[in-house]
Amino acid sequence: MKKYSLAIVLVLFVFCVPLVFTEIANSYKEPFNILDNPLPSLVLTVFSLVLITLAWVLVMALKKVELLQNEKDGVTPEVASSSFMTWWRQLMQKWTKSKSMEQESEIVLDHNYDGIRELDNTLPPWWVYMFYASILFAIVYLVRFEVFDGDTPEMEYKKAVAEARASLEKYKETATDLIDASTVTLLTDEKDLKRGKAVFNLNCAACHLADGGGSIGPNLTDEYWILGGGIKNVYTTISEGGRDGKGMISWKNTLKPQDMAKVASYVLSLQGTTPATAKKAEGDLWKEE
């Protein structure tokens, strides 16, 4: 059962590694730039080492199971001198320089404290190489950030924020759902005005009449405006509503931003027209700057 459990864990790990690494790499603009973004490369290296270790553990486990089964059955298997396990042992010996228990007498020191002896083990080559690699990394880091004035994390953050804001502003220029009073523009396309007229007749004509002459609401065809004329002011009035207590309601929770922009443009297209029953002018005379 343990054999199958280990195999299942290994298979899941193999499938999860690409997904995790892809997610991490996608969060960086240049994921394989080791100087600026060392994390993806570090994660890939660690995952690779873990994968190799798991594979080795699996091979050792299967080999152990096989040996136990042969011992139980009384079978003495022939060991090939050039087998994978022999190569692996030689590799591990080369990278660890470890001594077997039978060879410990060769490296035992004279130190003796209550029968406790000390072994003069050499540093494992893998540890020595990692130590040298850390020194090399420190030198590269020093040159990168102290000599050539590389971007600090704070500078990288500010640049990333500036790029994000620029991308957001560019997106807002084309995203109709993000129209607001500061970005709305006057629409003159016949299709947009036709849509604005339909929305106006459905929601606004009850108070302003279909021709904009005004009833409960003010006349929309003259040059006088209570809350200011122009596309931005008209859009704001539609979105936020009129005067407190006696103005029209806010439509921002009912109409989409693009529809409010089209209604505002249609309302301004009524300027200068002659309604059937024009209501008396209200507000102040508006002139575009």
Side-chain angles (χ1 to χ4, degrees):
M1 183 63 184
K2 293 181 179 180
K3 176 174 64 176
Y4 297 112
S5 299
L6 185 59
I8 292 173
V9 171
L10 181 59
V11 170
L12 291 176
F13 183 82
V14 170
F15 279 100
C16 290
V17 166
L19 298 177
V20 173
F21 178 74
T22 301
E23 186 68 22
I24 296 175
N26 288 338
S27 63
Y28 291 92
K29 187 176 182 180
E30 298 179 359
F32 296 103
N33 188 331
I34 299 179
L35 290 178
D36 293 334
N37 306 312
L39 182 59
S41 299
L42 179 61
V43 170
L44 181 60
T45 302
V46 172
F47 277 159
S48 300
L49 291 175
V50 172
L51 185 61
I52 293 173
T53 303
L54 286 176
W56 176 76
V57 170
L58 179 60
V59 171
M60 293 293 292
L62 293 176
K63 189 68 176 179
K64 185 67 175 179
V65 170
E66 182 180 356
L67 291 175
L68 292 175
Q69 186 64 40
N70 291 336
E71 183 179 350
K72 180 179 179 181
D73 298 338
V75 178
T76 304
E78 297 182 358
V79 180
S81 58
S82 59
S83 65
F84 170 78
M85 293 307 301
T86 301
W87 170 82
W88 180 256
R89 291 192 187 96
Q90 292 175 349
L91 179 64
M92 294 302 295
Q93 175 62 28
K94 181 178 179 181
W95 278 86
T96 61
K97 297 293 184 181
S98 61
K99 296 286 186 179
S100 64
M101 294 184 65
E102 293 77 9
Q103 297 174 313
E104 286 185 353
S105 58
E106 302 175 5
I107 58 175
V108 67
L109 296 176
D110 294 336
H111 301 169
N112 189 329
Y113 185 79
D114 288 344
I116 300 175
R117 308 294 296 274
E118 182 180 356
L119 299 179
D120 188 19
N121 286 310
T122 58
L123 289 173
W126 66 265
W127 189 94
V128 175
Y129 295 149
M130 288 186 64
F131 178 70
Y132 291 152
S134 65
I135 295 176
L136 179 61
F137 177 83
I139 294 174
V140 173
Y141 187 92
L142 177 67
V143 173
R144 173 75 171 83
F145 291 100
E146 300 298 332
V147 178
F148 294 105
D149 295 328
D151 290 346
T152 63
E154 182 180 1
M155 295 170 62
E156 291 179 352
Y157 169 76
K158 290 181 178 179
K159 285 185 177 180
V161 170
E163 291 177 0
R165 287 176 177 172
S167 299
L168 180 60
E169 293 301 325
K170 185 176 180 180
Y171 172 72
K172 284 182 177 181
E173 293 177 358
T174 56
T176 55
D177 287 337
L178 294 179
I179 295 175
D180 57 24
S182 62
T183 59
V184 66
T185 57
L186 182 65
L187 304 175
T188 57
D189 185 77
E190 183 179 353
K191 183 178 179 181
D192 293 330
L193 295 178
K194 185 176 180 181
R195 170 65 180 176
K197 180 179 180 180
V199 176
F200 178 89
N201 289 337
L202 181 62
N203 299 282
C204 311
C207 296
H208 297 280
L209 300 184
D211 57 7
S215 176
I216 299 174
N219 183 357
L220 301 178
T221 64
D222 57 35
E223 298 179 348
Y224 290 83
W225 296 86
I226 298 174
L227 297 175
I231 186 64
K232 297 185 183 299
N233 288 321
V234 174
Y235 180 92
T236 300
T237 304
I238 296 173
S239 175
E240 304 301 327
R243 295 166 293 175
D244 293 337
K246 53 182 178 180
M248 73 174 185
I249 64 171
S250 169
W251 291 93
K252 63 183 178 182
N253 295 324
T254 305
L255 301 178
K256 295 180 179 180
Q258 60 265 39
D259 280 341
M260 290 191 293
K262 292 172 183 177
V263 171
S265 297
Y266 172 72
V267 168
L268 292 176
S269 71
L270 296 176
Q271 292 283 285
T273 60
T274 305
T277 55
K279 189 177 180 181
K280 183 179 179 181
E282 299 177 69
D284 301 321
L285 180 65
W286 173 263
K287 291 185 178 180
E288 290 284 354
E289 296 182 359

